[in-house]
Amino acid sequence: QVQLVESGGGSVQPGGSLTLTCKIARFTGYYCMAWFRQAPGMEREVVITITHNGERTVKDRFILSRDNTNNTLSLQINNLKPEDTAMYYCAAADPLRVGCPKEYTYWGQGTQVTVSS
């Protein structure tokens, strides 16, 4: 079992920024990793991903950083909007022979982000 622990959530006003951090108890450079979010009453959605090779998706206002020395995956969210309010989850998966699986195996408990004035 791979443990992931998220931190950094909180309540912010629109236009603010937050940095979420995911600490994984293994070498981050080995895993496919991602941030997901789930708003109340909504399905969980993927926010941003990074492969074990460092290839990452891009999403406006979201900056992904991986620190393989400290085994952390950080997500900086800029210009926060009320629609960013959600529980944010870090996830990891063992890489396939080529690429990453569609489903993630390991999940953190989540960190809440609330954006309101």
Side-chain angles (χ1 to χ4, degrees):
Q1 185 69 18
V2 178
Q3 276 194 317
L4 298 93
V5 180
E6 303 96 334
S7 61
S11 296
V12 295
Q13 292 187 341
S17 297
L18 273 179
T19 297
L20 309 181
T21 299
C22 173
K23 176 74 173 178
I24 184 169
R26 299 281 179 88
F27 177 52
T28 47
Y30 169 77
Y31 291 98
C32 299
M33 298 191 72
W35 283 95
F36 288 76
R37 68 184 180 184
Q38 186 168 20
M42 305 292 285
E43 290 190 358
R44 186 170 59 195
E45 63 174 353
V46 61
V47 176
I48 201 164
T49 66
I50 184 168
T51 71
H52 52 301
N53 292 323
E55 297 171 356
R56 63 192 69 195
T57 55
V58 176
K59 186 176 179 69
D60 187 35
R61 301 187 295 111
F62 293 78
I63 301 173
L64 189 66
S65 301
R66 185 173 69 184
D67 183 346
N68 291 339
T69 300
N70 294 305
N71 294 332
T72 58
L73 184 72
S74 297
L75 179 65
Q76 180 181 330
I77 313 172
N78 296 319
N79 189 23
L80 278 155
K81 304 176 185 296
E83 51 264 40
D84 294 320
T85 295
M87 185 71 79
Y88 284 73
Y89 297 92
C90 178
D94 295 292
L96 301 174
R97 188 170 181 180
V98 177
C100 293
K102 291 183 179 180
E103 299 295 327
Y104 286 78
T105 308
Y106 312 107
W107 292 84
Q109 294 299 309
T111 186
Q112 178 68 39
V113 173
T114 302
V115 185
S116 68
S117 54

